[in-house]
Amino acid sequence: MTQTSPTFSPLYRQIKSLMLQALESGEWGPGQAIPSEQELAGRFGVSQGTVRKAIDEMAAENLLVRKQGKGTYVASHNDPRSLFRFLRLVPEGEDLSHPASVPLECWRAKAGQEAARVLAIEPGSPIIIVRRLLEFSAKPVVVDEIYLPGEVFQGLTLEVLQTWKGSLYSLFESRFGLRMIRAEERIRAVAADRRTAEMLRVREGEPLLSVERVTYTYGDRPVEWRRGLYSTAEHFYLNELN
């Protein structure tokens, strides 16, 4: 009989786990300053160095943001610097102007087998489906179809989407208290069908990037399934590796 050895977790990882619990519970909200390293060390009964190591790792994961001379803050989708964290399609040249989101449709449905599997909900559960364009300099570049758990996004309507001025993730954070932590993407090349070609103003059959994304919040809970088609005639997909 094989016995499993207990898993050892370094002390700073244990502190990180406790801090993640504070983030998930809403004790420290997006954009808010967290207590100082000294205060956290006293709270958890560890050294400041241990707290600093936990914060360093959380900052590297874009959960926290260090601001020189001001302290450490909870990362927020309302920060303009976070825009291209998930959106990796950038214009050629130096123009990194913010894209405009153009909501087209928003409707309620019941989750089919695939949506239920991806979003970790029961088949038949309520979902919300959003279709929108992303425009750079008034040119449509991305068409997205987005599937969201209906129970989490109660109150999301086309009117809400049309009147919101920031990014979609900043809306999710501000209106629904949901912060996107990480995402997984699958990318392949496809040919534009007639409908997509009309929406993106490209020729039918022109090559596009198909980007399927699953986005997670705290607790590694999937809360968004997005399928996008990207025109790369004047843009490219940027991914930094380190």
Side-chain angles (χ1 to χ4, degrees):
M1 180 177 177
T2 304
Q3 293 187 352
T4 303
S5 300
T7 302
F8 172 76
S9 177
L11 184 56
Y12 81 91
R13 284 280 172 85
Q14 297 176 42
I15 301 307
K16 176 185 174 184
S17 179
L18 293 171
M19 293 177 67
L20 282 170
Q21 290 176 26
L23 291 174
E24 188 172 1
S25 70
E27 179 180 348
W28 309 322
Q32 293 181 351
I34 67 170
S36 68
E37 291 179 1
Q38 184 177 4
E39 290 173 309
L40 290 170
R43 169 173 171 171
F44 297 127
V46 297
S47 70
Q48 284 185 235
T50 299
V51 170
R52 186 175 303 120
K53 195 167 183 179
I55 290 176
D56 286 344
E57 190 163 288
M58 294 174 73
E61 295 172 357
N62 295 300
L63 297 170
L64 300 175
V65 177
R66 291 189 184 276
K67 296 185 179 181
Q68 188 68 33
K70 294 183 178 180
T72 303
Y73 292 74
V74 181
S76 170
H77 291 297
N78 289 314
D79 187 339
R81 293 172 296 181
S82 72
L83 177 65
F84 288 97
R85 180 185 168 199
F86 289 103
L87 176 62
R88 297 305 181 94
L89 196 73
V90 297
E92 293 181 344
E94 299 298 323
D95 180 20
L96 290 180
S97 57
H98 290 195
S101 178
V102 183
L104 303 175
E105 298 176 83
C106 178
W107 72 96
R108 280 157 179 73
K110 293 183 178 180
Q113 293 291 335
E114 190 174 11
R117 176 185 59 80
V118 174
L119 294 173
I121 58 179
E122 291 294 322
S125 297
I127 59 172
I128 295 174
I129 304 174
V130 174
R131 186 174 289 125
R132 65 96 180 250
L133 288 174
L134 270 184
E135 295 183 345
F136 287 79
S137 301
K139 295 180 180 179
V141 178
V142 178
V143 56
D144 276 326
E145 192 164 272
I146 302 166
Y147 299 76
L148 305 164
E151 291 185 1
V152 178
F153 290 93
Q154 292 183 29
L156 182 63
T157 64
L158 183 60
E159 182 181 6
V160 169
L161 292 166
Q162 289 173 333
T163 55
W164 183 256
K165 300 303 180 185
S167 71
L168 202 56
Y169 286 165
S170 69
L171 169 63
F172 293 169
E173 178 181 283
S174 301
R175 181 74 178 258
F176 301 97
L178 201 71
R179 175 158 172 76
M180 305 306 198
I181 301 303
R182 71 176 188 90
E184 295 177 356
E185 288 188 336
R186 296 182 179 183
I187 303 174
R188 59 168 57 95
V190 299
D193 58 30
R194 180 177 299 178
R195 184 183 184 192
T196 304
E198 290 174 353
M199 295 174 73
L200 294 179
R201 303 177 198 166
V202 298
R203 295 187 306 274
E204 186 176 351
E206 185 162 319
L208 303 173
L209 283 184
S210 168
V211 181
E212 181 179 342
R213 177 192 302 168
V214 181
T215 316
Y216 299 81
T217 188
Y218 296 114
D220 225 25
R221 180 164 59 107
V223 285
E224 180 202 40
W225 177 32
R226 180 182 300 212
R227 297 189 293 187
L229 293 171
Y230 293 40
S231 171
T232 58
E234 298 177 4
H235 298 75
F236 58 90
Y237 192 93
L238 176 65
N239 194 14
E240 297 180 0
L241 304 177
N242 51 36

PDB file of all heavy atoms in Angstrom, residues 37 43 101 221:
ATOM      1  N   GLU A  37       3.169  46.287   5.038  1.00  0.00           N
ATOM      2  CA  GLU A  37       3.842  45.018   5.318  1.00  0.00           C
ATOM      3  C   GLU A  37       3.961  44.810   6.830  1.00  0.00           C
ATOM      4  O   GLU A  37       3.803  43.686   7.321  1.00  0.00           O
ATOM      5  CB  GLU A  37       5.221  44.999   4.664  1.00  0.00           C
ATOM      6  CG  GLU A  37       5.168  44.928   3.145  1.00  0.00           C
ATOM      7  CD  GLU A  37       6.558  44.943   2.512  1.00  0.00           C
ATOM      8  OE1 GLU A  37       7.560  44.985   3.283  1.00  0.00           O
ATOM      9  OE2 GLU A  37       6.652  44.918   1.274  1.00  0.00           O
ATOM     10  N   ARG A  43      -0.495  41.010  11.845  1.00  0.00           N
ATOM     11  CA  ARG A  43      -1.764  40.288  11.731  1.00  0.00           C
ATOM     12  C   ARG A  43      -1.549  38.786  11.597  1.00  0.00           C
ATOM     13  O   ARG A  43      -2.266  37.996  12.228  1.00  0.00           O
ATOM     14  CB  ARG A  43      -2.539  40.818  10.526  1.00  0.00           C
ATOM     15  CG  ARG A  43      -3.759  39.995  10.133  1.00  0.00           C
ATOM     16  CD  ARG A  43      -4.540  40.695   9.043  1.00  0.00           C
ATOM     17  NE  ARG A  43      -5.588  39.870   8.470  1.00  0.00           N
ATOM     18  CZ  ARG A  43      -6.511  40.306   7.620  1.00  0.00           C
ATOM     19  NH1 ARG A  43      -6.509  41.576   7.241  1.00  0.00           N
ATOM     20  NH2 ARG A  43      -7.441  39.493   7.136  1.00  0.00           N
ATOM     21  N   SER A 101     -15.678  49.553 -27.559  1.00  0.00           N
ATOM     22  CA  SER A 101     -16.551  48.381 -27.534  1.00  0.00           C
ATOM     23  C   SER A 101     -17.916  48.777 -28.071  1.00  0.00           C
ATOM     24  O   SER A 101     -18.523  49.745 -27.599  1.00  0.00           O
ATOM     25  CB  SER A 101     -16.673  47.845 -26.101  1.00  0.00           C
ATOM     26  OG  SER A 101     -17.554  46.742 -26.045  1.00  0.00           O
ATOM     27  N   ARG A 221     -12.381  29.970 -10.510  1.00  0.00           N
ATOM     28  CA  ARG A 221     -13.750  29.723 -10.958  1.00  0.00           C
ATOM     29  C   ARG A 221     -13.956  30.352 -12.336  1.00  0.00           C
ATOM     30  O   ARG A 221     -13.781  31.565 -12.509  1.00  0.00           O
ATOM     31  CB  ARG A 221     -14.733  30.321  -9.945  1.00  0.00           C
ATOM     32  CG  ARG A 221     -16.198  30.136 -10.299  1.00  0.00           C
ATOM     33  CD  ARG A 221     -17.075  30.385  -9.089  1.00  0.00           C
ATOM     34  NE  ARG A 221     -16.899  31.711  -8.556  1.00  0.00           N
ATOM     35  CZ  ARG A 221     -17.803  32.700  -8.677  1.00  0.00           C
ATOM     36  NH1 ARG A 221     -18.921  32.492  -9.329  1.00  0.00           N
ATOM     37  NH2 ARG A 221     -17.579  33.877  -8.137  1.00  0.00           N
TER      38      ARG A 221
END
